[in-house]
Every structure is written in structure tokens, then in C-alpha cells.
Amino acid sequence: MKSSPKLISAISGIEYPFERIEEFADNGESLEVFIPNLEKAKIKSGEYIWQRFADFLPFTQMNEDFHLGEGNTSLIQADQRLREFTGISNLLLKNETQNPTWSFKDRGSLACIFMAKKMEEKVTATISSGNMGNSIAAYGAKAGIKVIVFVPEFTPKEKVMAMSIHGATIVKVKAEDYSMMKKHILSFAKKLKLRIVSGNGPIRVEGYKLTAFEMFATIESTEPAVTPQKRAGSPSLLISISLSVFGWAIIPTL
């Protein structure tokens, strides 16, 4: 049986219950999932990446009925011009358009649905201008969970239609900019005890890390796999290097 995971603020190390609804720590820091006893985790057999790496995820119940066939996307060789531009002779690109909603967001959405089911939540919500809203709407429809998507009022109607097809409730929000809109919605959601599963949320990130596991399994090597990761809403990118399934090194600047 898995030990109970918890949330830890990224800088100050303040601990919170894993079930915490708020996306950020009380001091505004990003939250990360801590899973005890990872040194005992093992890769299992299974058709899907989340089945094979279940020990590395914080969920105790992951129902196959909730997935849409995400992951297992192709690694393709970059063309000569890109290899020459980057100086990397053996450069592989992961084709994330092969995911169900054509986006890498799908792995994160699956994790959010696992969490919603664990907490017996009937409604989940996100803040999006397109891809994330479309993704969580599709996964919510599959799992029978009502989805609310808060979008900027200027969101193109084509993107709104894509989300609406899956039955999501779309709420257009008027705000000065996206960051201000998100700030107001997070405050509003906290009062309603409504979980917002946006890009910075620790639960969604647990789904995103499946990408690195997938590359590890595909390459079948302990050679470093480089994965760009956006952290805490910052425009800068951190590069996480998977030295093995069990360890990570961070390059803070490029």
C-alpha cells in the first residue's frame, strides 16, 4: 500500500495535505507533490504509461475507464537543418499532436480526473484560452464529471466551440489581462471550494511528468532525456534532465 503523498511549497518547504484544493501555497509559492518511499517504486507491466509507472504517481486508484488513449506518442528524428541549428546530431522530437485532443495537456488532464474521482468531486474547473479547456472538457465528459472552463472574453469562437462539444460550461471573463483574470478566478474558486486545475497546479504536473517516463521507456536507456518545463507561470524555461527514473537534476538557467 502506498504511503500518503503530500504537497510541499517549492521554496520554503511548507507542507500541505495532498487533498488541498488551492493551487498555490498560502505564501503564493508553487506547490509540488512529494511521494514517500519512491526508492521502492518499480516499473510494472501495462499497456499504458500511467499503468507501468503507477508507483511513481500519487494516486491509489487509476481507472482505465477514464483514459482516452493519451501518450505513447512518436519520437521522430529532427531534420538536418534543425540538427545543425541546435548542434545536436541525434535530436528526437516528440509528436504530441497524436494525443486525443492534439495536445500534451491530455496527460495532465487525466491526472486531474484521477484526483477528482479520488476526492469524489462532481465538478472540476480550469482557466484556459483553448487547449487546456478542450482537454479537460474531453476527459471530464469521459469520466462523467462536469467541467467549467473560464476563458478570456476575447477567446476565438472556434476554441469555445471545441470545448463546448464535450459539454463543458464556458464562462467568458472580462479582465485587463490573462494574469489578472486568473487571480480573480482563483480567489473566487477558493470561496466556493472549487478545484481549479490549471497549468501550474501540482496535480496536473504529475500527469505531465509521464512524458519524461514515456521517453525513458521508449529510448530504453539511462542517457539523459531533456524535457522543457514551465514553472510557476514564469516565461523562462527550466530544463529537467532525467538521469534515471529515480533522479532529476535541474539546470536553472540557459
Side-chain angles (χ1 to χ4, degrees), residues 157-188:
K157 65 178 182 180
E158 292 81 5
K159 291 188 175 182
V160 172
M161 289 175 62
M163 293 180 255
S164 300
I165 286 173
H166 302 297
T169 298
I170 313 300
V171 180
K172 290 188 175 182
V173 181
K174 184 176 182 179
E176 296 177 6
D177 53 41
Y178 189 89
S179 61
M180 187 61 67
M181 180 189 82
K182 182 172 183 177
K183 180 179 179 180
H184 289 318
I185 291 173
L186 289 177
S187 176
F188 172 73

Side-chain angles (χ1 to χ4, degrees), residues 7 20 31 34 36 74 82 97-98 100 112 125 129 137 143 153 158 170 174 181 189 191-192 214 239 242:
L7 300 177
R20 178 181 172 88
L31 292 172
F34 173 79
S74 301
L82 186 55
T97 64
Q98 294 175 340
C112 293
S129 58
E153 63 174 348
E158 292 81 5
I170 313 300
K174 184 176 182 179
M181 180 189 82
K191 295 177 182 178
L192 295 179
E214 194 172 305
I239 301 297
S242 177

